PDB file of all heavy atoms in Angstrom:
ATOM      1  N   CYS B   1       0.835  -1.213   0.000  1.00 89.00           N
ATOM      2  CA  CYS B   1       0.000   0.000   0.000  1.00 89.00           C
ATOM      3  C   CYS B   1       0.864   1.254   0.000  1.00 89.00           C
ATOM      4  O   CYS B   1       0.471   2.272  -0.572  1.00 89.00           O
ATOM      5  CB  CYS B   1      -0.991  -0.009   1.148  1.00 89.00           C
ATOM      6  SG  CYS B   1      -0.246   0.113   2.757  1.00 89.00           S
ATOM      7  N   GLY B   2       2.031   1.209   0.606  1.00 90.00           N
ATOM      8  CA  GLY B   2       2.948   2.347   0.560  1.00 90.00           C
ATOM      9  C   GLY B   2       3.485   2.574  -0.846  1.00 90.00           C
ATOM     10  O   GLY B   2       3.601   3.713  -1.305  1.00 90.00           O
ATOM     11  N   ILE B   3       3.802   1.494  -1.528  1.00 93.00           N
ATOM     12  CA  ILE B   3       4.271   1.604  -2.911  1.00 93.00           C
ATOM     13  C   ILE B   3       3.144   2.084  -3.809  1.00 93.00           C
ATOM     14  O   ILE B   3       3.363   2.883  -4.726  1.00 93.00           O
ATOM     15  CB  ILE B   3       4.836   0.248  -3.395  1.00 93.00           C
ATOM     16  CG1 ILE B   3       6.081  -0.134  -2.592  1.00 93.00           C
ATOM     17  CG2 ILE B   3       5.168   0.303  -4.883  1.00 93.00           C
ATOM     18  CD1 ILE B   3       6.587  -1.532  -2.856  1.00 93.00           C
ATOM     19  N   ASP B   4       1.936   1.613  -3.556  1.00 92.00           N
ATOM     20  CA  ASP B   4       0.790   2.004  -4.385  1.00 92.00           C
ATOM     21  C   ASP B   4       0.401   3.467  -4.220  1.00 92.00           C
ATOM     22  O   ASP B   4      -0.391   3.978  -5.011  1.00 92.00           O
ATOM     23  CB  ASP B   4      -0.414   1.101  -4.096  1.00 92.00           C
ATOM     24  CG  ASP B   4      -0.252  -0.277  -4.692  1.00 92.00           C
ATOM     25  OD1 ASP B   4       0.587  -0.440  -5.602  1.00 92.00           O
ATOM     26  OD2 ASP B   4      -0.958  -1.201  -4.249  1.00 92.00           O
ATOM     27  N   ARG B   5       0.920   4.151  -3.223  1.00 92.00           N
ATOM     28  CA  ARG B   5       0.643   5.578  -3.058  1.00 92.00           C
ATOM     29  C   ARG B   5       1.402   6.438  -4.060  1.00 92.00           C
ATOM     30  O   ARG B   5       1.094   7.616  -4.214  1.00 92.00           O
ATOM     31  CB  ARG B   5       0.985   6.019  -1.636  1.00 92.00           C
ATOM     32  CG  ARG B   5       0.004   5.516  -0.617  1.00 92.00           C
ATOM     33  CD  ARG B   5       0.283   6.115   0.749  1.00 92.00           C
ATOM     34  NE  ARG B   5      -0.515   5.416   1.743  1.00 92.00           N
ATOM     35  CZ  ARG B   5      -0.035   4.880   2.849  1.00 92.00           C
ATOM     36  NH1 ARG B   5       1.241   4.982   3.131  1.00 92.00           N
ATOM     37  NH2 ARG B   5      -0.827   4.252   3.689  1.00 92.00           N
ATOM     38  N   ILE B   6       2.406   5.863  -4.700  1.00 91.00           N
ATOM     39  CA  ILE B   6       3.150   6.605  -5.724  1.00 91.00           C
ATOM     40  C   ILE B   6       2.200   6.870  -6.888  1.00 91.00           C
ATOM     41  O   ILE B   6       1.581   5.950  -7.414  1.00 91.00           O
ATOM     42  CB  ILE B   6       4.395   5.802  -6.182  1.00 91.00           C
ATOM     43  CG1 ILE B   6       5.343   5.598  -5.005  1.00 91.00           C
ATOM     44  CG2 ILE B   6       5.093   6.509  -7.336  1.00 91.00           C
ATOM     45  CD1 ILE B   6       6.495   4.667  -5.293  1.00 91.00           C
ATOM     46  N   LYS B   7       2.095   8.125  -7.284  1.00 92.00           N
ATOM     47  CA  LYS B   7       1.107   8.509  -8.293  1.00 92.00           C
ATOM     48  C   LYS B   7       1.488   8.077  -9.700  1.00 92.00           C
ATOM     49  O   LYS B   7       0.626   7.721 -10.489  1.00 92.00           O
ATOM     50  CB  LYS B   7       0.875  10.008  -8.249  1.00 92.00           C
ATOM     51  CG  LYS B   7       0.211  10.438  -6.967  1.00 92.00           C
ATOM     52  CD  LYS B   7      -0.112  11.894  -6.962  1.00 92.00           C
ATOM     53  CE  LYS B   7      -0.475  12.275  -5.580  1.00 92.00           C
ATOM     54  NZ  LYS B   7      -1.598  12.854  -5.217  1.00 92.00           N
ATOM     55  N   ALA B   8       2.770   8.099 -10.031  1.00 93.00           N
ATOM     56  CA  ALA B   8       3.219   7.738 -11.379  1.00 93.00           C
ATOM     57  C   ALA B   8       3.203   6.213 -11.524  1.00 93.00           C
ATOM     58  O   ALA B   8       4.008   5.511 -10.907  1.00 93.00           O
ATOM     59  CB  ALA B   8       4.609   8.293 -11.645  1.00 93.00           C
ATOM     60  N   LYS B   9       2.274   5.708 -12.324  1.00 92.00           N
ATOM     61  CA  LYS B   9       2.113   4.259 -12.466  1.00 92.00           C
ATOM     62  C   LYS B   9       3.366   3.571 -13.011  1.00 92.00           C
ATOM     63  O   LYS B   9       3.752   2.515 -12.497  1.00 92.00           O
ATOM     64  CB  LYS B   9       0.899   3.952 -13.341  1.00 92.00           C
ATOM     65  CG  LYS B   9       0.554   2.487 -13.358  1.00 92.00           C
ATOM     66  CD  LYS B   9      -0.737   2.211 -14.057  1.00 92.00           C
ATOM     67  CE  LYS B   9      -1.054   0.731 -13.969  1.00 92.00           C
ATOM     68  NZ  LYS B   9      -2.358   0.424 -14.503  1.00 92.00           N
ATOM     69  N   PRO B  10       4.050   4.120 -14.038  1.00 93.00           N
ATOM     70  CA  PRO B  10       5.272   3.454 -14.511  1.00 93.00           C
ATOM     71  C   PRO B  10       6.340   3.345 -13.422  1.00 93.00           C
ATOM     72  O   PRO B  10       6.993   2.308 -13.291  1.00 93.00           O
ATOM     73  CB  PRO B  10       5.754   4.341 -15.668  1.00 93.00           C
ATOM     74  CG  PRO B  10       4.541   5.069 -16.125  1.00 93.00           C
ATOM     75  CD  PRO B  10       3.699   5.254 -14.905  1.00 93.00           C
ATOM     76  N   LEU B  11       6.489   4.397 -12.625  1.00 94.00           N
ATOM     77  CA  LEU B  11       7.461   4.365 -11.530  1.00 94.00           C
ATOM     78  C   LEU B  11       7.070   3.319 -10.491  1.00 94.00           C
ATOM     79  O   LEU B  11       7.922   2.598  -9.969  1.00 94.00           O
ATOM     80  CB  LEU B  11       7.565   5.748 -10.879  1.00 94.00           C
ATOM     81  CG  LEU B  11       8.535   5.872  -9.703  1.00 94.00           C
ATOM     82  CD1 LEU B  11       9.959   5.553 -10.151  1.00 94.00           C
ATOM     83  CD2 LEU B  11       8.447   7.255  -9.095  1.00 94.00           C
ATOM     84  N   ARG B  12       5.788   3.233 -10.207  1.00 94.00           N
ATOM     85  CA  ARG B  12       5.274   2.250  -9.250  1.00 94.00           C
ATOM     86  C   ARG B  12       5.572   0.829  -9.731  1.00 94.00           C
ATOM     87  O   ARG B  12       6.046  -0.014  -8.965  1.00 94.00           O
ATOM     88  CB  ARG B  12       3.773   2.477  -9.087  1.00 94.00           C
ATOM     89  CG  ARG B  12       3.142   1.784  -7.954  1.00 94.00           C
ATOM     90  CD  ARG B  12       1.722   2.234  -7.707  1.00 94.00           C
ATOM     91  NE  ARG B  12       0.867   2.100  -8.878  1.00 94.00           N
ATOM     92  CZ  ARG B  12       0.077   3.051  -9.348  1.00 94.00           C
ATOM     93  NH1 ARG B  12       0.013   4.222  -8.775  1.00 94.00           N
ATOM     94  NH2 ARG B  12      -0.675   2.836 -10.407  1.00 94.00           N
ATOM     95  N   ILE B  13       5.317   0.552 -10.997  1.00 93.00           N
ATOM     96  CA  ILE B  13       5.553  -0.781 -11.554  1.00 93.00           C
ATOM     97  C   ILE B  13       7.040  -1.104 -11.553  1.00 93.00           C
ATOM     98  O   ILE B  13       7.450  -2.214 -11.171  1.00 93.00           O
ATOM     99  CB  ILE B  13       4.963  -0.874 -12.977  1.00 93.00           C
ATOM    100  CG1 ILE B  13       3.441  -0.804 -12.902  1.00 93.00           C
ATOM    101  CG2 ILE B  13       5.415  -2.155 -13.675  1.00 93.00           C
ATOM    102  CD1 ILE B  13       2.773  -0.633 -14.254  1.00 93.00           C
ATOM    103  N   ILE B  14       7.860  -0.145 -11.952  1.00 95.00           N
ATOM    104  CA  ILE B  14       9.315  -0.366 -11.978  1.00 95.00           C
ATOM    105  C   ILE B  14       9.836  -0.629 -10.576  1.00 95.00           C
ATOM    106  O   ILE B  14      10.655  -1.529 -10.360  1.00 95.00           O
ATOM    107  CB  ILE B  14      10.032   0.836 -12.633  1.00 95.00           C
ATOM    108  CG1 ILE B  14       9.740   0.851 -14.140  1.00 95.00           C
ATOM    109  CG2 ILE B  14      11.525   0.803 -12.372  1.00 95.00           C
ATOM    110  CD1 ILE B  14      10.188   2.107 -14.849  1.00 95.00           C
ATOM    111  N   LEU B  15       9.360   0.132  -9.600  1.00 95.00           N
ATOM    112  CA  LEU B  15       9.790  -0.064  -8.213  1.00 95.00           C
ATOM    113  C   LEU B  15       9.408  -1.446  -7.697  1.00 95.00           C
ATOM    114  O   LEU B  15      10.214  -2.133  -7.060  1.00 95.00           O
ATOM    115  CB  LEU B  15       9.196   1.021  -7.323  1.00 95.00           C
ATOM    116  CG  LEU B  15       9.637   1.000  -5.857  1.00 95.00           C
ATOM    117  CD1 LEU B  15      11.138   1.210  -5.750  1.00 95.00           C
ATOM    118  CD2 LEU B  15       8.904   2.064  -5.081  1.00 95.00           C
ATOM    119  N   LYS B  16       8.191  -1.883  -7.988  1.00 95.00           N
ATOM    120  CA  LYS B  16       7.755  -3.215  -7.559  1.00 95.00           C
ATOM    121  C   LYS B  16       8.619  -4.305  -8.201  1.00 95.00           C
ATOM    122  O   LYS B  16       9.045  -5.241  -7.524  1.00 95.00           O
ATOM    123  CB  LYS B  16       6.294  -3.446  -7.934  1.00 95.00           C
ATOM    124  CG  LYS B  16       5.300  -2.683  -7.093  1.00 95.00           C
ATOM    125  CD  LYS B  16       3.888  -2.945  -7.578  1.00 95.00           C
ATOM    126  CE  LYS B  16       2.866  -2.173  -6.813  1.00 95.00           C
ATOM    127  NZ  LYS B  16       1.490  -2.441  -7.273  1.00 95.00           N
ATOM    128  N   LEU B  17       8.861  -4.180  -9.506  1.00 95.00           N
ATOM    129  CA  LEU B  17       9.674  -5.189 -10.197  1.00 95.00           C
ATOM    130  C   LEU B  17      11.124  -5.175  -9.717  1.00 95.00           C
ATOM    131  O   LEU B  17      11.746  -6.236  -9.580  1.00 95.00           O
ATOM    132  CB  LEU B  17       9.596  -4.999 -11.708  1.00 95.00           C
ATOM    133  CG  LEU B  17       8.265  -5.400 -12.340  1.00 95.00           C
ATOM    134  CD1 LEU B  17       8.199  -4.966 -13.797  1.00 95.00           C
ATOM    135  CD2 LEU B  17       8.042  -6.900 -12.223  1.00 95.00           C
ATOM    136  N   LEU B  18      11.674  -3.988  -9.466  1.00 96.00           N
ATOM    137  CA  LEU B  18      13.038  -3.920  -8.941  1.00 96.00           C
ATOM    138  C   LEU B  18      13.135  -4.563  -7.561  1.00 96.00           C
ATOM    139  O   LEU B  18      14.085  -5.311  -7.290  1.00 96.00           O
ATOM    140  CB  LEU B  18      13.506  -2.466  -8.873  1.00 96.00           C
ATOM    141  CG  LEU B  18      13.964  -1.836 -10.174  1.00 96.00           C
ATOM    142  CD1 LEU B  18      14.259  -0.352  -9.976  1.00 96.00           C
ATOM    143  CD2 LEU B  18      15.175  -2.553 -10.725  1.00 96.00           C
ATOM    144  N   LEU B  19      12.170  -4.267  -6.712  1.00 95.00           N
ATOM    145  CA  LEU B  19      12.158  -4.873  -5.384  1.00 95.00           C
ATOM    146  C   LEU B  19      12.059  -6.392  -5.480  1.00 95.00           C
ATOM    147  O   LEU B  19      12.823  -7.118  -4.836  1.00 95.00           O
ATOM    148  CB  LEU B  19      10.992  -4.315  -4.552  1.00 95.00           C
ATOM    149  CG  LEU B  19      10.791  -4.922  -3.168  1.00 95.00           C
ATOM    150  CD1 LEU B  19      11.977  -4.612  -2.269  1.00 95.00           C
ATOM    151  CD2 LEU B  19       9.506  -4.419  -2.554  1.00 95.00           C
ATOM    152  N   PHE B  20      11.144  -6.872  -6.307  1.00 95.00           N
ATOM    153  CA  PHE B  20      10.974  -8.313  -6.450  1.00 95.00           C
ATOM    154  C   PHE B  20      12.233  -8.971  -6.987  1.00 95.00           C
ATOM    155  O   PHE B  20      12.693  -9.990  -6.457  1.00 95.00           O
ATOM    156  CB  PHE B  20       9.786  -8.626  -7.362  1.00 95.00           C
ATOM    157  CG  PHE B  20       9.631 -10.086  -7.647  1.00 95.00           C
ATOM    158  CD1 PHE B  20       9.199 -10.952  -6.653  1.00 95.00           C
ATOM    159  CD2 PHE B  20       9.938 -10.611  -8.889  1.00 95.00           C
ATOM    160  CE1 PHE B  20       9.072 -12.312  -6.896  1.00 95.00           C
ATOM    161  CE2 PHE B  20       9.811 -11.964  -9.140  1.00 95.00           C
ATOM    162  CZ  PHE B  20       9.379 -12.813  -8.145  1.00 95.00           C
ATOM    163  N   ASN B  21      12.812  -8.418  -8.044  1.00 94.00           N
ATOM    164  CA  ASN B  21      13.997  -9.024  -8.642  1.00 94.00           C
ATOM    165  C   ASN B  21      15.210  -8.964  -7.721  1.00 94.00           C
ATOM    166  O   ASN B  21      16.008  -9.906  -7.690  1.00 94.00           O
ATOM    167  CB  ASN B  21      14.307  -8.378  -9.997  1.00 94.00           C
ATOM    168  CG  ASN B  21      13.353  -8.858 -11.058  1.00 94.00           C
ATOM    169  OD1 ASN B  21      13.242 -10.047 -11.313  1.00 94.00           O
ATOM    170  ND2 ASN B  21      12.617  -7.940 -11.658  1.00 94.00           N
ATOM    171  N   ALA B  22      15.350  -7.884  -6.957  1.00 95.00           N
ATOM    172  CA  ALA B  22      16.452  -7.805  -5.991  1.00 95.00           C
ATOM    173  C   ALA B  22      16.301  -8.878  -4.916  1.00 95.00           C
ATOM    174  O   ALA B  22      17.275  -9.561  -4.557  1.00 95.00           O
ATOM    175  CB  ALA B  22      16.490  -6.415  -5.361  1.00 95.00           C
ATOM    176  N   MET B  23      15.091  -9.065  -4.422  1.00 94.00           N
ATOM    177  CA  MET B  23      14.865 -10.069  -3.386  1.00 94.00           C
ATOM    178  C   MET B  23      14.965 -11.494  -3.945  1.00 94.00           C
ATOM    179  O   MET B  23      15.459 -12.393  -3.263  1.00 94.00           O
ATOM    180  CB  MET B  23      13.519  -9.856  -2.709  1.00 94.00           C
ATOM    181  CG  MET B  23      13.447  -8.593  -1.896  1.00 94.00           C
ATOM    182  SD  MET B  23      14.703  -8.546  -0.604  1.00 94.00           S
ATOM    183  CE  MET B  23      15.668  -7.149  -1.127  1.00 94.00           C
ATOM    184  N   LEU B  24      14.511 -11.707  -5.166  1.00 91.00           N
ATOM    185  CA  LEU B  24      14.646 -13.020  -5.798  1.00 91.00           C
ATOM    186  C   LEU B  24      16.118 -13.370  -5.988  1.00 91.00           C
ATOM    187  O   LEU B  24      16.546 -14.494  -5.695  1.00 91.00           O
ATOM    188  CB  LEU B  24      13.905 -13.047  -7.137  1.00 91.00           C
ATOM    189  CG  LEU B  24      13.925 -14.359  -7.906  1.00 91.00           C
ATOM    190  CD1 LEU B  24      13.178 -15.439  -7.128  1.00 91.00           C
ATOM    191  CD2 LEU B  24      13.306 -14.181  -9.277  1.00 91.00           C
ATOM    192  N   THR B  25      16.898 -12.405  -6.426  1.00 90.00           N
ATOM    193  CA  THR B  25      18.339 -12.613  -6.597  1.00 90.00           C
ATOM    194  C   THR B  25      19.003 -12.875  -5.248  1.00 90.00           C
ATOM    195  O   THR B  25      19.823 -13.798  -5.128  1.00 90.00           O
ATOM    196  CB  THR B  25      18.972 -11.389  -7.276  1.00 90.00           C
ATOM    197  OG1 THR B  25      18.326 -11.169  -8.531  1.00 90.00           O
ATOM    198  CG2 THR B  25      20.457 -11.585  -7.502  1.00 90.00           C
ATOM    199  N   ALA B  26      18.649 -12.086  -4.244  1.00 92.00           N
ATOM    200  CA  ALA B  26      19.222 -12.289  -2.908  1.00 92.00           C
ATOM    201  C   ALA B  26      18.882 -13.673  -2.374  1.00 92.00           C
ATOM    202  O   ALA B  26      19.745 -14.360  -1.805  1.00 92.00           O
ATOM    203  CB  ALA B  26      18.711 -11.210  -1.951  1.00 92.00           C
TER     204      ALA B  26
END
């Protein structure tokens, strides 16, 4: 819900994917 508060949808999607891929790699 904190990530979803970001108004720019492309930035929100990129942030979610970056977080997921960083954690998957870790």
Side-chain angles (χ1 to χ4, degrees):
C1 67
I3 295 172
D4 286 341
R5 288 187 191 128
I6 298 172
K7 293 184 192 236
K9 189 172 183 174
L11 179 61
R12 193 170 56 229
I13 292 169
I14 289 170
L15 184 62
K16 287 178 182 181
L17 288 171
L18 281 174
L19 176 65
F20 175 71
N21 285 303
M23 293 302 116
L24 181 65
T25 302

